[in-house]
Amino acid sequence: MPTSIAQFWDDAIVPSLVEYIKIPAKSPHFDKAWAANGHIDAAVELAASWCRKHAVPGMKLEVVRLPGRTPVLLIEIPATGKGNVLMYGHLDKQPEMVGWRDGTGPWTPVLADGKLYGRGGADDGYAVFASLAAIKALQEEKRPHGRISILIECCEESGSGDLPAYFEVLAKRIQNPELVIGLDSGCGNYDQLWSTTSLRGLVNGVLTVEVLSEGVHSGDASGVVSSSFRIARMLLDRIDAADTGIVKHSAFHAQIPPERSTQAKRAAEVLGEEIWRKFPFTPGGQPMQADLADLVLNRTWRPFLAVTGADGLPAPANAGNVLRPVTKLVLSLRLPPTVKAESAAKQLKAILETDPPYGARVTFESGHAGSGWHAPQSKEWLAKALDAASMAHFGKPAMHMGEGGTIPFMGMLGAQFPQAQFLITGVLGPHSNAHGPNEFLHIGYAKRLTACVADVLAAHAAK
């Protein structure tokens, strides 16, 4: 790893990320009054000011705003070699959540053991800083790179709903990239470069089961009136099997490409039990399956359902002997990369609402429906560049694996630029806990990743 990149991270990037973490720049889905609160604008201004301070020759920077939409930061850097590249990240954040360790918190940056704790540093505030750092290092080393656009949005955690409008407005400036680099993904370990080959899609929404117009004494009604919670359980059983978690309906499944199965086996061999031990299981907790390659495919190519919220359930201290009138559950169904989310959302609604048990009033109101993404086959130059960069900065070859989350922008770009090559990577490795408490950025890994990105940019210009 070049000394210049490591030193630049220590001197310039980490201090700015500390300030960025302090800003509660929650995505619009979690902060309806984002425009009035000004936190997203503060995060954008922090990043823009930093980029202006560390500008490379010929760089143009603009904060682009469309009415009623979150802003985007667009940075344009002229070529010193051949080709056109688009780099991507975001500045909006997930909400606070509870459960942070003593001394840490979502908006309280803490540096400890080579990690920077706090919301948004790893997901994905570092991206704009690392992108410019990689380009700056290339220019200092007089290594050519293509024309580069850096696009940083502020709506990713809300499904990137504002991005298509910006993409239409900025298409002529972004032009037609042959290479797209996204830094909003994960890594299987902190020992080598990881390339994300696919992302799952997502359908979520609220399932509502109503059985009464008001609550009644459970001693009087139970056995006559069905519990709304039990009906909800029956409806969920239409989707997945309670004993295995396997989603039943074929509409939510896709055939797994042989290459991805092979890569999953390789990842399982490299990662071992860290595939599941990275999660904060309670003592004695076990994964859903014993086969490690199956666990990789479970989180990357298979559908799984989770209940992520509820209403109509009083807190235990306030729960009386009452048969409640309604139960509401927030459902999150992860989809294989190639399943169309809009179609899946319609299927899910039909399965849940058709022929409700006991004539209960059942509705499913879809929320976000975002399709996944499957990377095109890597060309020889990119495959070689990834391995060479990983060997140079980690001493181990690059690895390739899908991720379980959703980055809607990748699907948008995949459709817009079907001929482009993609390097989707990131710093969200074991225990980094994106979206949860105790999120951290592994600074040493981020430094090496920045150096790898610089090498890939140079390889693209030289291909």
Side-chain angles (χ1 to χ4, degrees), residues 218-237:
S218 62
D220 187 28
S222 61
V224 177
V225 179
S226 178
S227 161
S228 61
F229 191 87
R230 185 168 73 86
I231 293 174
R233 285 168 52 200
M234 295 168 68
L235 295 171
L236 293 182
D237 195 54

Side-chain angles (χ1 to χ4, degrees), residues 341-359:
E342 291 293 341
S343 174
K346 293 177 182 178
Q347 289 275 6
L348 186 59
K349 182 177 178 68
I351 291 169
L352 291 170
E353 291 185 351
T354 300
D355 192 19
Y358 307 106

Side-chain angles (χ1 to χ4, degrees), residues 184-443:
D184 185 29
S185 191
C187 51
N189 58 29
Y190 300 113
D191 301 322
Q192 57 211 119
L193 175 64
W194 289 79
S195 170
T196 298
T197 57
S198 63
L199 298 158
R200 282 193 295 186
L202 172 67
V203 170
N204 62 23
V206 178
L207 171 66
T208 302
V209 179
E210 299 176 83
V211 295
L212 296 167
S213 59
E214 60 187 63
V216 297
H217 194 301
S218 62
D220 187 28
S222 61
V224 177
V225 179
S226 178
S227 161
S228 61
F229 191 87
R230 185 168 73 86
I231 293 174
R233 285 168 52 200
M234 295 168 68
L235 295 171
L236 293 182
D237 195 54
R238 295 178 178 181
I239 307 302
D240 66 354
D243 57 341
T244 64
I246 294 175
V247 172
K248 299 175 179 180
H249 203 289
S250 61
F252 305 128
H253 287 263
Q255 186 173 358
I256 302 173
E259 180 186 13
R260 302 309 181 207
S261 294
T262 299
Q263 291 171 345
K265 291 177 182 177
R266 285 191 60 209
E269 291 169 358
V270 168
L271 298 176
E273 290 189 351
E274 184 62 20
I275 290 168
W276 63 272
R277 291 192 182 277
K278 69 177 183 177
F279 298 109
F281 281 88
T282 53
Q286 297 290 323
M288 292 176 62
Q289 290 178 250
D291 186 275
L292 297 178
D294 265 335
L295 290 180
V296 173
L297 291 172
N298 279 357
R299 66 177 286 275
T300 58
W301 273 93
R302 291 175 182 142
F304 280 93
L305 178 69
V307 177
T308 59
D311 198 3
L313 298 167
N318 299 324
N321 293 318
V322 176
L323 200 151
R324 299 174 299 99
V326 61
T327 295
K328 294 186 177 183
L329 301 177
V330 181
L331 307 186
S332 174
L333 179 61
R334 293 288 175 178
L335 301 170
T338 54
V339 169
K340 299 300 181 184
E342 291 293 341
S343 174
K346 293 177 182 178
Q347 289 275 6
L348 186 59
K349 182 177 178 68
I351 291 169
L352 291 170
E353 291 185 351
T354 300
D355 192 19
Y358 307 106
R361 183 183 298 165
V362 174
T363 58
F364 178 72
E365 295 299 325
S366 295
H368 173 64
S371 296
W373 169 79
H374 186 207
Q377 183 73 32
S378 293
K379 293 184 178 179
E380 186 178 4
W381 76 263
L382 180 57
K384 287 183 176 179
L386 295 178
D387 265 335
S390 189
M391 290 299 299
H393 303 295
F394 291 98
K396 293 183 179 180
M399 293 294 296
H400 308 273
M401 183 171 66
E403 286 291 340
T406 305
I407 307 176
F409 183 51
M410 292 302 107
M412 297 177 197
L413 276 186
Q416 184 70 25
F417 303 117
Q419 303 304 316
Q421 291 285 278
F422 285 78
L423 169 57
I424 310 303
T425 187
V427 298
L428 296 169
H431 311 290
S432 58
N433 209 17
H435 296 197
N438 307 315
E439 176 186 337
F440 69 72
L441 170 71
H442 191 295
I443 295 172

Side-chain angles (χ1 to χ4, degrees), residues 106-155:
W107 322 122
T108 305
V110 172
L111 276 165
D113 301 322
K115 303 177 181 70
L116 175 57
Y117 288 84
R119 177 65 84 229
D123 183 24
D124 162 52
Y126 85 101
V128 62
F129 304 98
S131 296
L132 193 55
I135 298 163
K136 192 176 185 71
L138 286 179
Q139 295 200 355
E140 289 174 354
E141 296 162 9
K142 303 189 184 306
R143 299 165 68 192
H145 60 76
R147 181 187 181 276
I148 300 173
S149 303
I150 303 175
L151 182 64
I152 307 296
E153 67 159 316
C154 295
C155 194

